């Protein structure tokens, strides 16, 4: 057994105020309660929320603050993601920090989610990193996992655990939960999905093992979920099969050259017939409405009605 302890933090996220100090507090609480945790993962856009006007240059203040926290607690840290401002573009970027407080790598989300991420530029590079003596980890952000090619590529690159910060508050969360299970099974890996709350999502974070079975599912409230993973289960699944049955990674390897739709310049008339990607154009209006939504506080008794027991 090669155990490794990862904690996911599912917390409330504001779209109109910084969440960084609360992230620090949650991290301090996590490490006080569970000092044996070796890695902590936050949700997508946890630091500043879902509006692109918060974009900042990377490296910047947020990374430096998170580096200090990782070094303070001696942990690997994936502090969700932020909108990164770079050469006239905006990316959805996450950072990996090691226990010495050093930046190991960064990943830019490949598939921005429309209609909510208009104006966000897709990243182009897959991202894996090694925790020495433990495992190889891959990073996927939210909508990325809807494209099986992304997680499959990480698996082919050797990733045994997929870290997946997400920000889902929409009605397709049930679909996403099924995708998490499917991606874990067909790629024979751990899948660690961390969602936020309020402006950061509707919770229900999910962790699955290399057989696609649920290890833990959070509910719709703030949670810290520390889990000790047995990384050897991944190697055993990949060598012997999912539940000692199908061997999807080996089968993919043996037929990898037969997928014509992926060839450069392939003619794809059906996909072309679907028309262009639909994108919203009223970005400023949407941002203002989202800010109003988060700032709104309903009156305590707008009707003046006195309920049972009130005088």
């Amino acid at each position: 057994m090669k155990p490794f302890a990862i904690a996911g933090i599912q917390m409330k996220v504001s779209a109109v105020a910084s969440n960084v100090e609360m992230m620090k507090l949650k991290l301090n609480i996590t490490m006080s309660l569970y000092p044996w945790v070796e890695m902590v993962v936050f949700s997508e856009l946890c630091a500043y929320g879902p509006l692109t006007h918060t974009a900042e240059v990377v490296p910047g203040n947020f990374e430096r603050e998170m580096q200090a926290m990782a070094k303070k607690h001696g942990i690997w840290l994936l502090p969700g993601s932020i909108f990164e401002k770079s050469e006239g573009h905006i990316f959805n970027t996450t950072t990996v920090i090691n226990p010495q407080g050093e930046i190991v790598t960064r990943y830019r989300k490949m598939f921005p989610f429309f209609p909510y991420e208009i104006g966000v530029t897709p990243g182009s590079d897959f991202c894996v990193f090694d925790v020495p003596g433990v495992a190889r980890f891959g990073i996927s952000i939210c909508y990325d996992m809807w494209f099986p090619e992304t997680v499959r590529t990480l698996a082919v690159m050797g990733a045994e655990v997929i870290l997946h910060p997400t920000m889902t508050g929409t009605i397709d969360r049930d679909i996403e939960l099924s995708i998490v299970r499917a991606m874990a099974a067909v790629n024979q890996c751990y899948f660690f999905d961390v969602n936020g709350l309020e402006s950061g999502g509707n919770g229900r974070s999910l962790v699955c093992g290399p057989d696609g079975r649920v290890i833990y599912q959070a509910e719709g409230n703030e949670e810290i979920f520390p889990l000790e993973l047995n990384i050897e289960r991944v190697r055993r699944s990949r060598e012997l099969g999912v539940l000692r049955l199908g061997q999807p990674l080996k089968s993919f390897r043996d037929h990898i050259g037969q997928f014509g739709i992926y060839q450069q310049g392939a003619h794809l008339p059906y996909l072309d017939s679907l028309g262009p990607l639909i994108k919203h154009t009223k970005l400023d209006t949407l941002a203002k409405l989202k800010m109003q939504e988060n700032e709104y506080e309903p009156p305590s008794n707008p009707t003046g009605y006195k309920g049972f027991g009130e005088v």
Side-chain angles (χ1 to χ4, degrees):
M1 179 177 178
K2 190 185 295 182
F4 188 73
I6 307 177
I9 297 181
Q10 178 175 285
M11 60 174 269
K12 296 175 183 176
V13 174
S14 170
V16 296
S18 171
N19 304 289
V20 176
E21 291 305 313
M22 182 55 69
M23 290 176 69
K24 292 180 184 178
L25 178 58
K26 295 287 188 185
L27 191 50
N28 287 335
I29 291 171
T30 299
M31 298 312 300
S32 294
L33 288 171
Y34 313 110
W36 43 271
V37 161
E38 297 161 277
M39 175 183 284
V40 175
V41 182
F42 284 88
S43 61
E44 179 187 16
L45 300 175
C46 186
Y48 302 116
L51 304 180
T52 56
H53 71 77
T54 63
E56 65 175 47
V57 174
V58 173
N61 289 333
F62 174 68
E63 273 196 347
R64 284 190 287 273
E65 291 184 79
M66 293 298 106
Q67 286 178 265
M69 293 300 292
K71 185 175 182 179
K72 171 184 175 180
H73 292 294
I75 57 169
W76 290 83
L77 180 59
L78 189 79
S81 67
I82 63 170
F83 284 126
E84 173 198 359
K85 193 163 40 177
S86 177
E87 298 180 346
H89 296 281
I90 293 175
F91 299 92
N92 186 337
T93 303
T94 189
T95 303
V96 177
I97 305 168
N98 70 16
Q100 291 74 47
E102 301 163 337
I103 304 297
V104 173
T105 189
R106 298 184 182 94
Y107 171 68
R108 290 170 168 172
K109 184 177 182 179
M110 288 189 167
F111 289 92
F113 180 53
F114 301 123
Y116 291 95
E117 287 187 278
I118 300 297
V120 178
T121 300
S124 57
D125 297 321
F126 292 94
C127 181
V128 296
F129 67 96
D130 293 325
V131 172
V134 177
R136 176 163 290 182
F137 292 74
I139 303 177
S140 168
I141 299 178
C142 200
Y143 198 44
D144 286 340
M145 75 170 176
W146 283 67
F147 305 88
E149 298 83 359
T150 60
V151 183
R152 175 53 53 84
T153 300
L154 295 173
V156 170
M157 293 171 72
E160 296 159 293
V161 183
I162 305 299
L163 304 175
H164 186 75
T166 190
M167 173 181 272
T168 300
T170 44
I171 61 174
D172 56 354
R173 184 58 178 160
D174 278 333
I175 301 172
E176 289 202 331
L177 297 179
S178 67
I179 294 174
V180 171
R181 293 192 64 180
M183 288 298 99
V186 302
N187 292 290
Q188 300 171 274
C189 63
Y190 283 101
F191 204 104
F192 212 99
D193 166 275
V194 183
N195 200 14
L197 296 168
E198 297 188 351
S199 291
N202 50 23
R204 301 169 71 196
S205 299
L206 182 64
V207 181
C208 291
D211 52 10
R213 290 175 173 173
V214 174
I215 295 173
Y216 183 76
Q217 181 168 345
E219 299 300 329
N221 49 278
E222 289 201 311
E223 291 194 42
I224 299 168
F225 46 101
L227 299 167
E228 191 172 76
L229 307 185
N230 176 9
I231 307 300
E232 292 293 347
R233 284 185 58 198
V234 175
R235 186 75 184 186
R236 186 170 179 82
S237 173
R238 289 177 174 179
E239 290 181 351
L240 303 177
V242 178
L243 303 178
R244 298 295 294 263
L245 296 167
Q247 303 167 62
L249 279 185
K250 289 183 182 180
S251 295
F252 176 75
R253 175 199 65 197
D254 294 347
H255 294 79
I256 201 165
Q258 300 183 19
F259 300 99
I261 61 169
Y262 296 118
Q263 301 305 312
Q264 187 73 26
H267 185 48
L268 306 171
Y270 175 71
L271 292 185
D272 292 338
S273 75
L274 301 179
L277 191 64
I278 297 171
K279 301 180 181 180
H280 284 301
T281 56
K282 298 181 179 179
L283 302 182
D284 292 338
T285 301
L286 178 61
K288 289 175 183 176
L289 290 172
K290 292 294 290 182
M291 291 180 73
Q292 281 182 266
E293 179 184 44
N294 282 275
E295 290 174 335
Y296 177 70
E297 291 184 11
S300 57
N301 191 6
T303 65
Y305 171 73
K306 294 182 178 181
F308 180 77
E310 295 184 59
V311 294

